[in-house]
């Protein structure tokens, strides 16, 4: 990991060697005190932004972490993994909070800034797409209730795996980017904001 601060020579003020397992995604923790990094072996490390030391280490995923995104207030983050799950964690303690399960690898996941919802995108590996029909590929963005871990909606549109999802900061829309080369911007209908999951 290389941590940069705007300087004249554009050199990192801190470089953290990571020789065991490659880092595949990283985000800043609350107040910029640490960096949360996901690895190709499914491990999550919390590195001090001052010293580079590992503060905490957990392994909740069984395969590579493809994406990490923080909540709007940085108190939580969500991971997306090749093990067909996305998981919600506390940013400071790294306590595992919730798990969202699918039947395909998850490439990206995001937390709504205004609702108790998460959106996930993925699908089978890009190299396997040509050997199966698009219907089998499962290229929908999937919505889950963050508290109940229940799926409540899917949005179709991509013709290949979804590589990235993100909510707009106002929470009224989300975007998805796919292997098909398209970025799709979806605006939520008014009914979305009135929806309540029946459990």
């Amino acid at each position: 990991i290389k941590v940069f601060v705007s300087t004249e020579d554009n050199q990192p003020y801190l470089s953290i060697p990571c020789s065991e397992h490659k880092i595949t995604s990283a985000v800043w923790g609350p107040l910029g005190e640490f960096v949360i990094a996901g690895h190709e072996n499914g491990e999550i490390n919390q590195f001090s932004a001052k010293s580079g030391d590992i503060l905490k280490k957990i392994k909740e995923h069984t395969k590579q972490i493809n994406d990490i995104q923080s909540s709007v207030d940085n108190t939580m983050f969500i991971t997306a993994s090749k093990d067909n799950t996305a998981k919600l964690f506390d940013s400071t303690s790294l306590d595992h909070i919730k798990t969202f399960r699918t039947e395909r690898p998850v490439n990206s996941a995001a937390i709504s800034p205004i609702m108790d919802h998460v959106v996930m995108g993925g699908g089978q590996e890009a190299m396997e797409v040509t050997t199966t029909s698009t219907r089998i590929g499962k290229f929908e963005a999937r919505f889950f209730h963050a508290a109940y871990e229940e799926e409540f909606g899917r949005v179709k549109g991509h013709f290949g795996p979804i590589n990235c999802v993100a909510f707009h900061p106002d929470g009224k829309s989300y975007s998805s980017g796919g292997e098909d080369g398209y970025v799709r911007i979806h605006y939520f209908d008014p009914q979305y904001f009135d929806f309540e999951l029946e459990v």
Side-chain angles (χ1 to χ4, degrees), residues 59-73:
K59 189 163 190 281
E60 292 286 340
H61 286 287
T62 57
K63 293 184 179 175
Q64 176 175 307
I65 294 172
N66 292 323
D67 186 27
I68 299 177
Q69 293 191 39
S70 298
S71 62
V72 69
D73 61 0

Side-chain angles (χ1 to χ4, degrees), residues 2-181:
K2 292 188 179 192
V3 181
F4 288 87
V5 172
S6 183
T7 60
E8 289 181 20
D9 57 0
N10 282 332
Q11 294 299 309
Y13 83 87
L14 179 65
S15 187
I16 303 169
C18 187
S19 56
E20 287 185 38
H21 300 284
K22 184 174 87 172
I23 293 173
T24 53
S25 189
V27 293
W28 283 100
L31 305 175
E33 294 175 353
F34 49 82
V35 174
I36 300 163
H39 297 261
E40 64 185 351
N41 69 337
E43 195 173 86
I44 299 170
N45 290 338
Q46 192 183 79
F47 293 96
S48 166
K50 291 181 181 174
S51 67
D53 295 336
I54 294 177
L55 304 174
K56 292 184 177 76
K57 180 189 288 192
I58 61 169
K59 189 163 190 281
E60 292 286 340
H61 286 287
T62 57
K63 293 184 179 175
Q64 176 175 307
I65 294 172
N66 292 323
D67 186 27
I68 299 177
Q69 293 191 39
S70 298
S71 62
V72 69
D73 61 0
N74 270 0
T75 58
M76 298 181 293
F77 66 93
I78 192 166
T79 56
S81 173
K82 283 187 175 181
D83 67 7
N84 302 353
T85 66
K87 297 189 179 198
L88 196 63
F89 296 90
D90 181 275
S91 294
T92 304
S93 67
L94 296 190
D95 288 341
H96 174 230
I97 301 169
K98 299 286 179 182
T99 298
F100 311 98
R101 300 180 193 286
T102 70
E103 63 283 337
R104 295 282 187 259
V106 183
N107 294 335
S108 185
I111 305 166
S112 170
I114 61 169
M115 304 287 281
D116 289 330
H117 299 164
V118 298
V119 63
M120 299 165 26
Q124 66 194 95
E125 295 288 335
M127 63 184 157
E128 297 171 8
V129 170
T130 57
T131 61
T132 59
S133 77
T134 55
R135 187 172 45 81
I136 297 170
K138 308 283 187 193
F139 306 132
E140 305 106 345
R142 301 173 71 164
F143 287 82
F144 285 76
H145 194 282
Y148 302 119
E149 301 173 308
E150 293 286 329
E151 182 178 356
F152 67 87
R154 294 184 186 194
V155 177
K156 295 180 181 179
H158 286 284
F159 299 103
I162 296 172
N163 291 331
C164 186
V165 293
F167 279 98
H168 188 279
D170 68 10
K172 295 178 181 177
S173 63
Y174 83 96
S175 299
S176 57
E179 196 75 26
D180 57 9

